[in-house]
């Protein structure tokens, strides 16, 4: 489904964020991307929809290469990839409905989006998605009137409104409390299962990652140092990724959660 | 300055720094004295010493104001308000594209377009609307149109500067999220940036409108229409009671417009 | 505990995915129960009639305002040629043929700017302190507020007209005008700053039994000094711009030179003067930004 091969990214300042990263994600698989801060997790998923331009390497989605496209072609690739952000990244001063409908921007003309007159099917789908994430009564509220968990649900609805073939999820729970975090993760996994959607979840909470994903990729200093099932994530592997630490407490953390 | 009063054992600046500071102040004072001498070299001090008498004389001629003149001021006042409002609209119309071209995150080219946009802003801001009016009256002739365009030209720089600063302060993440949906650049502007700058935009516009009311009252001095024309005519005929009356009307207008703009900004923001 | 919560996740995911997959198969009907349109609620005037009424009023005003612009098209057509000459003059400015007038005007403007800013700052300090409610007695407070209000609501041009009538033509009237305007501008901001200062610091100094002067010196001055310097530089910039204007009513400076040049339709000299003004304002803005950073 998604093939990433030999991606490298060197920022203008000379920092090497990604070093020859390759992996592929089959249809319907939810992959957790773990690693310490600054390991390049965020850069990696932004390379996939090219919010960040990779320095070298190639990426293909459903057999079609998406690196090196013209800006028009890039837009039509981006609309097939839904993205969910750490700080929700809703346009705060727009209503919830406008935020969800903005998922259709890649499909409608400027005039339609400017006058907010979206096709009936898009509006129906938006209402259905808001219903799915439990926010249908909030459609006409402004996004900044919602709580953190609610905003992240709107973010999810916006990504799904694109009818994506792939979800990129950047630290979905970093700004949420533990309870809401788990609710959001559960919702995300459910939705991916419902739609057979492949997803890459960039997540720093190892406990949540182990519990909710079926495959984990460990990133350290821009390189893949682990790729396997959550059960294979041993203490030695964690030490490789994050460095020395008493990892035994992790399991008791999981008990507590 | 204040250091001298501290006890000698404790100093919060080193001796070298203090000396440098004293030297700086000394230079400033010397420069001031020099400027003062150059400036006043042609001043006729007899006129200056005569000023209190002149002021008293002027005062006695200005008071009381000619209240009956008020009825001939309503139409020029209406013109003044129109100059300010239409000029503000005109300025905003041009300021919006200039602001987007000048903001480093929305400009199509940082090397080529941005410097031009920034120059437009500086040129418009450096030149007072009265000078614009002076030029325009000489180019297209006296009248309201010259005043409106003068106000508009001056407003471009003011509005565009504050607006492009607001654009540069927008939250990148929100813009990124809209881009990630596959939106076109125009859609990113419409959904990602415009909602974020809209409150600032309203505030800036009303603020500039308030300033423009103030400025448009005197544009008539150079023939660009409005109540200033009456002021110019009264000054030329030394009709001081009328001048006083005009000052009162201008003052009242300015106070009211300031109040309105404060109220509107309070409601919007 | 952990196994429980895990199970419930899987269970709920399973049931909902079942129900949803059946719905997914028939895409044409899957959302048919939801509304097909949505309108954004109005932000400012929720009442539709009020909103349309206001638009109508605005349209009527716009029509009336536009119709009062009495344009002499013959004059405008003549002016287009002059406009071109101005733009050409702006692009090929003539600094030389009127250089004597320009340099005299410029020196007047610059000296006027500096002296009036310094005088204005020096005078605005006592007025500003007097207009701060937390350090000044009531009577002085109202007197200083009155000075500020008068200075702020009268524009430079109007003050210049009066001062020229009293002191005669020339830069001295301009100096007085700009100093007076500076007092209003700076004293108001200074007073607001003093009113905003940290009360605990004033109290700490007051508790040591300090006199009023000591209070100002130790508690107030350190807190407002950097901003006062910043504002003074900003006002220097404004005063230069204003000095280019008040010459039009006879208060000296480059404005008088500019006025003459435009009156004589010498657009290349006018262009040169305007470019000089723009250039100096740019330099002033750049250096004042630099100095402000250095002070803070």
């Amino acid at each position: 489904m998604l093939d990433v091969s030999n991606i490298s990214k060197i920022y203008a300042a000379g920092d090497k964020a990604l070093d020859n990263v390759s992996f592929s994600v089959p249809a319907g698989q939810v992959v957790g991307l773990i690693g310490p801060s600054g390991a390049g997790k965020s850069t990696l998923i932004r390379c996939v929809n090219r919010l960040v331009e990779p320095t070298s390497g190639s990426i293909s989605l459903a057999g079609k290469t998406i690196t090196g496209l013209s800006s028009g072609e890039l837009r039509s690739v981006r609309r097939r990839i839904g993205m969910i952000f750490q700080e929700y990244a809703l346009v705060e001063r727009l209503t919830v409905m406008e935020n969800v409908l903005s998922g259709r921007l890649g499909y409608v003309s400027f005039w339609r989006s400017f006058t907010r007159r979206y096709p009936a099917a898009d509006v129906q789908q938006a209402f259905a998605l808001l219903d799915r994430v439990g926010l249908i009564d909030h459609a006409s509220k402004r996004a900044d009137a919602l709580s953190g968990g609610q905003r992240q649900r709107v973010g999810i609805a916006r990504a799904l409104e694109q009818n994506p073939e792939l979800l990129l999820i950047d630290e979905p729970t970093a700004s949420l409390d533990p309870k809401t975090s788990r609710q959001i993760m559960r919702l995300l996994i459910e939705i991916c299962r419902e739609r057979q959607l492949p997803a890459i979840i960039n997540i720093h909470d190892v406990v949540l990652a182990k519990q909710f994903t079926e495959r984990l990729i460990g990133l350290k200093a821009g390189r893949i140092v682990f790729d396997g099932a959550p059960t294979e994530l041993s203490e030695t592997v964690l030490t490789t990724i994050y460095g020395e630490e008493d990892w035994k407490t992790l399991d008791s953390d999981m008990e507590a959660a | 300055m204040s250091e001298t009063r501290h006890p000698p054992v404790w100093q919060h600046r080193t001796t070298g720094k203090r000396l440098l500071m004293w030297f700086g102040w000394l230079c400033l004072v010397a420069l001031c004295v020099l400027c003062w001498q150059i400036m006043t070299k042609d001043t006729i001090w007899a006129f200056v010493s005569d000023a209190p008498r002149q002021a008293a004389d002027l005062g006695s001629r200005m008071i009381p104001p000619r209240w009956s003149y008020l009825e001939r001021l309503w139409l020029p006042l209406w013109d003044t308000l129109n100059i300010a409002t239409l000029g503000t609209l005109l300025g905003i119309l041009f300021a919006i594209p200039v602001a987007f071209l000048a903001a480093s995150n929305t400009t199509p080219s940082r090397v080529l377009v941005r410097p031009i946009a920034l120059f437009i802003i500086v040129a418009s801001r450096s030149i007072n609307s009265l000078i614009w009016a002076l030029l325009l009256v000489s180019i297209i002739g006296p009248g309201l149109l010259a005043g409106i365009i003068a106000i508009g030209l001056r407003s471009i720089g003011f509005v565009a500067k504050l607006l492009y600063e607001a654009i540069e302060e927008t939250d990148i993440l929100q813009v990124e999220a809209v881009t990630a949906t596959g939106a076109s650049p125009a859609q990113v502007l419409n959904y990602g940036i415009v909602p974020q700058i809209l409150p600032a935009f309203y505030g800036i516009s009303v603020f500039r409108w308030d300033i423009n009311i103030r400025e448009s009252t005197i544009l008539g001095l150079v023939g660009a229409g409005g109540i200033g024309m009456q002021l110019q005519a009264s000054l030329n005929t030394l009709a001081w009671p009328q001048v006083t009356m005009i000052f009162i009307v201008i003052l009242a207008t300015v106070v009211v417009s300031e109040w309105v703009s404060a109220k509107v900004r309070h409601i919007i923001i | 505990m952990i196994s429980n919560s895990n199970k419930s996740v899987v269970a709920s995911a399973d049931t909902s995915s079942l129900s949803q997959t059946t719905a997914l198969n028939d895409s044409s009907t899957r959302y048919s129960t939801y509304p097909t349109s949505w309108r954004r609620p109005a932000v400012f005037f929720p009442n539709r009639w009020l909103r349309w009424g206001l638009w109508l009023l605005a349209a009527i005003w716009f029509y009336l305002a536009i119709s009062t612009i009495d344009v002499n098209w013959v004059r405008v057509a003549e002016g287009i040629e002059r406009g071109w000459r101005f733009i050409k003059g702006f692009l090929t400015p003539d600094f030389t043929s009127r250089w004597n007038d320009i340099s005299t005007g410029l020196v007047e403007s610059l000296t006027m700017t500096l002296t009036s800013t310094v005088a204005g700052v020096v005078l605005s300090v006592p007025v500003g302190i007097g207009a701060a409610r937390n350090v000044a007695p009531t009577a002085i407070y109202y007197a200083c507020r009155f000075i500020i209000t008068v200075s702020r609501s009268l524009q430079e041009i109007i003050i210049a007209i009066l001062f020229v009538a009293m002191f005669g033509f020339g830069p001295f009237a301009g100096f007085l005008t700009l100093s007076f305007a500076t007092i209003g501008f700076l004293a108001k901001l200074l007073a607001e700053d003093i009113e905003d200062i940290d009360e605990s610091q004033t109290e700490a100094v007051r508790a040591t039994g300090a006199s009023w002067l000591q209070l100002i010196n130790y508690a107030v001055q350190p807190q407002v000094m950097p901003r006062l310097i910043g504002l003074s530089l900003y006002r220097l910039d404004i005063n230069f711009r204003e000095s280019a204007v008040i010459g039009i009513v006879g208060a000296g400076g480059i404005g008088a030179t500019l006025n003459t040049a435009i009156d004589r339709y010498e657009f290349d000299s006018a262009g040169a003067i305007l470019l000089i003004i723009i250039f100096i304002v740019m330099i002033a803005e750049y250096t004042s930004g630099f100095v402000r950073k250095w002070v803070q």
Side-chain angles (χ1 to χ4, degrees), chain C residues 8-76:
Chain C
S8 72
V9 174
V10 175
S12 69
D14 277 347
T15 47
S16 58
S17 72
L18 263 178
S19 60
Q20 206 69 22
T21 31
T22 46
L24 270 173
N25 290 338
D26 193 358
S27 63
S28 61
T29 56
R30 71 184 203 202
Y31 299 138
S32 57
T33 51
Y34 293 102
T36 55
S37 70
W38 172 84
R39 296 275 78 206
R40 184 195 163 101
V43 185
F44 289 124
F45 300 102
N47 183 329
R48 172 195 290 252
W49 293 108
L50 181 62
R51 208 163 61 235
W52 284 109
L54 288 172
W55 274 116
L56 189 69
L57 276 181
I60 292 171
W61 165 80
F62 191 74
Y63 173 76
L64 285 178
I66 292 285
S67 59
T68 54
I69 306 174
D70 186 19
V71 184
N72 182 350
W73 290 111
V74 181
R75 180 71 175 77
V76 172

Side-chain angles (χ1 to χ4, degrees), chain B residues 17-36:
Chain B
K17 265 189 185 164
R18 285 183 57 191
L19 273 177
L20 197 71
M21 237 178 70
W22 278 108
F23 183 69
W25 286 112
L26 195 71
C27 282
L28 186 66
V29 171
L31 189 67
C32 257
V33 172
L34 184 74
C35 284
W36 175 261

Side-chain angles (χ1 to χ4, degrees), chain A residues 94-95 97-98 115-117 120 123-125 127-128 131 136 140 186 190 193-194 211 255, chain C residues 1-2 6 9 12-13 16-17 20-21 24 30-32 34-41:
Chain A
L94 292 183
T95 57
M97 194 57 173
E98 282 170 297
T115 55
R116 303 329 192 227
R117 289 181 198 281
V123 179
Q124 276 189 324
Q125 176 175 304
F127 273 115
D131 201 11
I136 196 160
S140 291
R186 202 168 294 145
E190 278 173 27
R193 296 237 172 95
E194 282 163 17
Q211 188 179 344
E255 301 283 344
Chain C
M1 181 66 207
I2 173 186
N6 254 343
V9 174
S12 69
S16 58
S17 72
Q20 206 69 22
T21 31
L24 270 173
R30 71 184 203 202
Y31 299 138
S32 57
Y34 293 102
T36 55
S37 70
W38 172 84
R39 296 275 78 206
R40 184 195 163 101

